[in-house]
Amino acid sequence: MAIDYQERIPNNVDLAENRTLQRALEHWQPHFLDWWRELGPSDFLDVDVYLRTATSVDAKGWATYGTVKMPDYRWGIFLADAIPDRRIGFGDEHGKPVWHQVPGEHRSTLRRLIVTQGDTEPASVEQQRLLGHSCPSLYDLRNLFQVNVEEGRHLWAMVYLLHAYFGRDGREEAEELLARHSGDRNKPRILGTFNEPISDWLSFFMFTYFTDRDGKFQLKSLAESSFDPLSRSCTFMLTEEAHHMFVGDTGISRVVRRTLEVMKELGTEDPAAIRARGAVDLPTMQRYLNFWFSSSLDLFGAENSSNAAGYFATGIKGRPDEANYPDHLCREGSFHLERPDGKGGVSEEDVPLRNAMNEVTRTAYIRDCEIGVKRWNRLIAKAGYATELKLPSERFRRGIGVWANQPVDPEGRIISAAEHQAKVPSWIPSESDGAFVKSLMQRVAEPGKMASWIAPPERGINNLPVEYEYVHLH
Ligand code: BYC
């Protein structure tokens, strides 16, 4: 395959000069495209979409807009600009020069983290692959596809690291990233949330708000890494991640706004009446929020983790915004944890701070999640209603860590197993909630028109009007 590398694969990693990397990518790229055709938004291969493509890392190039067919999207490889004389920012090697190659002793740990990060990217594309059929507007359809192609690019970013720094093992892992599939019984994706189906747009907005936000915090942690190519890859990925969270945040806001309009119009908060008018009642939204928030909390790993302590000590993975902390060694401190005592109560313990790094990051994530919830609640309050959306307790519905599989209610109270079982359907989406939400998912494909359950966005993309034909379906 003759490729004009800079044109076909925009990059700032000297791809045109690196024959080994070219060979690895030449082998992998056709498999990626096959995967995209089969498990990406497969019924939309021929449609023209108004997309943003990163063609360089500077302010001009990172968001180049134009109309493309998705299989022709130019998935590029970018590292944020190098920081001259960058030093390790935390852990036992604090202050020493960062690594430009993989230290032998950290090879398998780094590979595992890069593979875990990389695995989530195609997983999310697989999860969302059928949503295009039920888009609430062309504006939303375009945003879905933007998110999808960028997750594809984030996969490329991790595959680049595997190919460029991990030799044969890396090439094998890159193939495996296309062989595991979301929800596949025999070869599932690595992390739990990425095997959950996303079969409606309310789930998509919750996922892009809560799960992409885990992406933000994990990428920030990896951006602190002493392995400089990983750090620079993740720093650039964060610029794209911001749009994905915007899609989630504004998506949920727009659903709330439409629901409030219907509540006003009907003069009732009765879920049945709101549903009959084709909008999503707030209690249903709360159940979707409970589901995706609790699932995303698991993505931070266990509260007390020797893996996390090891990553910190060796300088492999830090805390998000490490520079903001006064102590970068964390040899002394401890973290106060609560755990179930096995007798229906709670016991407390202090764990060494390094072991609690997952919890430190999860705590920062929860604070960040609250910002959107407050904004949605302001909309509700402004419309004159007392209902509030709320993040459930971090103990609720956990599958990982000390609270895994505990009978806990959304307030964090430990209850009996029988009560828990009886009440779960009122806390997370029931089958009938799913069927109702799915019944709303009818494709709206006329420029500027919105589905009955969602308000229009405040503005279009890249200063274009909301009515712009962002996707040419015909
Ligand atoms: N599901 O010691 P622990 C994103 C495993 S999202 C299943 O607590 P550790 C995106 C864990 O792997 C960001 N398994 O783990 C968003 C470990 O297994 P091994 C993705 C889980 O290492 C939207 C074992 O349990 N990036 O970018 O401290 C769209 C022991 O646990 C789960 C990353 O995750 C789970 N939820 O922390 C697109 C960053 N949680 O290794 C993209 C890379 C834990 O003993 N990954 N386990 O077999 C990591 O930093 C760490 O692997 C984790 C886990 C934070 C995930």
Side-chain angles (χ1 to χ4, degrees):
M1 184 180 21
I3 301 182
D4 172 349
Y5 284 97
Q6 197 55 38
E7 176 52 29
R8 189 73 202 98
I9 307 175
N11 71 87
N12 65 356
V13 295
D14 268 344
L15 180 56
E17 304 304 319
N18 187 338
R19 197 57 206 123
T20 313
L21 185 57
Q22 285 172 19
R23 263 201 301 273
L25 279 174
E26 277 170 20
H27 183 76
W28 185 79
Q29 190 205 35
H31 297 175
F32 169 79
L33 284 174
D34 287 347
W35 166 82
W36 182 271
R37 288 198 187 94
E38 201 185 327
L39 287 169
S42 53
D43 300 309
F44 297 89
L45 297 174
D46 287 332
V47 303
D48 288 317
V49 190
Y50 185 72
L51 290 175
R52 163 179 96 176
T53 305
T55 54
S56 68
V57 293
D58 56 29
K60 267 201 216 132
W62 89 268
T64 309
Y65 286 89
T67 298
V68 289
K69 295 191 197 327
M70 283 185 279
D72 301 331
Y73 188 79
R74 295 190 301 150
W75 284 282
I77 303 171
F78 294 106
L79 305 181
D81 289 335
I83 297 171
D85 192 32
R86 181 172 170 246
R87 302 272 154 168
I88 296 175
F90 59 93
D92 294 340
E93 307 293 312
H94 183 249
K96 295 191 182 158
V98 291
W99 318 319
H100 298 285
Q101 292 297 329
V102 179
E105 67 273 31
H106 301 319
R107 191 180 163 86
S108 69
T109 310
L110 273 166
R111 193 182 58 214
R112 202 169 41 152
L113 286 179
I114 292 167
V115 164
T116 307
Q117 176 64 49
D119 190 73
T120 63
E121 316 288 2
S124 68
V125 176
E126 292 167 353
Q127 286 171 293
Q128 297 161 14
R129 65 183 286 261
L130 295 176
L131 289 177
H133 293 291
S134 59
C135 62
S137 72
L138 289 183
Y139 165 90
D140 290 290
L141 185 61
R142 177 263 166 213
N143 282 348
L144 167 72
F145 293 157
Q146 183 71 58
V147 168
N148 290 163
V149 291
E150 283 175 352
E151 300 302 7
R153 205 200 69 72
H154 293 180
L155 168 64
W156 276 71
M158 293 301 113
V159 165
Y160 158 71
L161 294 174
L162 291 170
H163 281 173
Y165 294 95
F166 293 88
R168 190 191 175 141
D169 310 354
R171 290 195 295 276
E172 283 170 11
E173 292 284 11
E175 293 295 327
E176 284 297 301
L177 288 171
L178 299 173
R180 284 183 292 271
H181 299 312
S182 177
D184 188 315
R185 214 175 262 236
N186 300 319
K187 267 186 164 268
R189 291 297 177 181
I190 296 170
L191 299 174
T193 313
F194 295 89
N195 290 303
E196 299 286 0
I198 302 181
S199 41
D200 61 70
W201 282 74
L202 187 55
S203 297
F204 172 66
F205 292 137
M206 294 290 172
F207 179 93
T208 40
Y209 187 80
F210 290 111
T211 310
D212 277 279
R213 195 168 304 274
D214 167 56
K216 167 182 163 182
F217 280 80
Q218 296 299 334
L219 291 174
K220 272 174 167 278
S221 299
L222 295 174
E224 300 291 338
S225 180
S226 312
F227 178 41
D228 205 46
L230 174 62
S231 161
R232 291 169 60 200
S233 290
C234 292
T235 301
F236 186 66
M237 286 158 76
L238 279 160
T239 56
E240 290 160 321
E241 201 65 42
H243 174 71
H244 307 183
M245 288 179 291
F246 163 87
V247 168
D249 189 2
T250 54
I252 299 171
S253 294
R254 288 163 56 211
V255 182
V256 170
R257 266 174 35 220
R258 177 62 192 143
T259 301
L260 293 169
E261 274 170 23
V262 169
M263 281 159 63
K264 272 252 157 91
E265 223 172 273
L266 299 177
T268 178
E269 290 186 60
D270 174 24
I274 293 159
R275 284 180 170 205
R277 191 51 82 87
V280 187
D281 52 291
L282 295 178
T284 299
M285 253 181 265
Q286 177 69 57
R287 290 192 284 277
Y288 273 71
L289 182 159
N290 289 349
F291 180 91
W292 288 104
F293 175 67
S294 54
S295 181
S296 302
L297 286 179
D298 277 341
L299 295 172
F300 291 84
E303 291 79 357
N304 187 354
S305 163
S306 54
N307 283 349
Y311 304 149
F312 190 87
T314 50
I316 284 176
K317 183 183 173 196
R319 289 170 291 190
D321 304 309
E322 181 63 42
N324 293 346
Y325 291 89
D327 169 18
H328 303 300
L329 303 186
C330 301
R331 285 205 179 99
E332 309 295 332
S334 61
F335 193 95
H336 190 70
L337 274 186
E338 291 180 340
R339 54 162 67 234
D341 65 6
K343 294 177 264 174
V346 174
S347 65
E348 306 194 11
E349 65 174 336
D350 287 316
V351 299
L353 185 52
R354 285 183 174 188
N355 289 61
M357 288 307 175
N358 289 342
E359 193 58 16
V360 169
T361 308
R362 186 167 22 239
T363 305
Y365 164 81
I366 294 171
R367 272 203 306 274
D368 206 46
C369 287
E370 270 161 0
I371 295 171
V373 179
K374 279 196 186 128
R375 209 174 13 249
W376 307 326
N377 283 336
R378 274 201 298 276
L379 290 175
I380 302 173
K382 224 168 125 193
Y385 296 97
T387 310
E388 285 197 334
L389 296 170
K390 207 169 159 218
L391 296 179
S393 159
E394 70 169 290
R395 300 173 181 178
F396 174 68
R397 213 182 77 87
R398 292 293 301 282
I400 300 280
V402 292
W403 292 96
N405 307 316
Q406 296 293 313
V408 171
D409 72 8
E411 272 70 47
R413 287 181 295 248
I414 300 173
I415 54 179
S416 74
E419 185 184 357
H420 185 256
Q421 207 183 350
K423 289 198 173 152
V424 163
S426 64
W427 293 327
I428 58 171
S430 63
E431 252 176 55
S432 75
D433 289 334
F436 164 69
V437 171
K438 232 172 172 178
S439 77
L440 294 180
M441 301 294 129
Q442 307 293 336
R443 178 152 97 177
V444 176
E446 210 179 305
K449 289 266 157 25
M450 298 288 140
S452 67
W453 53 272
I454 189 162
E458 280 170 18
R459 60 187 69 85
I461 298 296
N462 193 28
N463 294 324
L464 290 172
V466 173
E467 301 75 36
Y468 183 76
E469 193 168 355
Y470 289 102
V471 185
H472 293 266
L473 287 175
H474 312 293

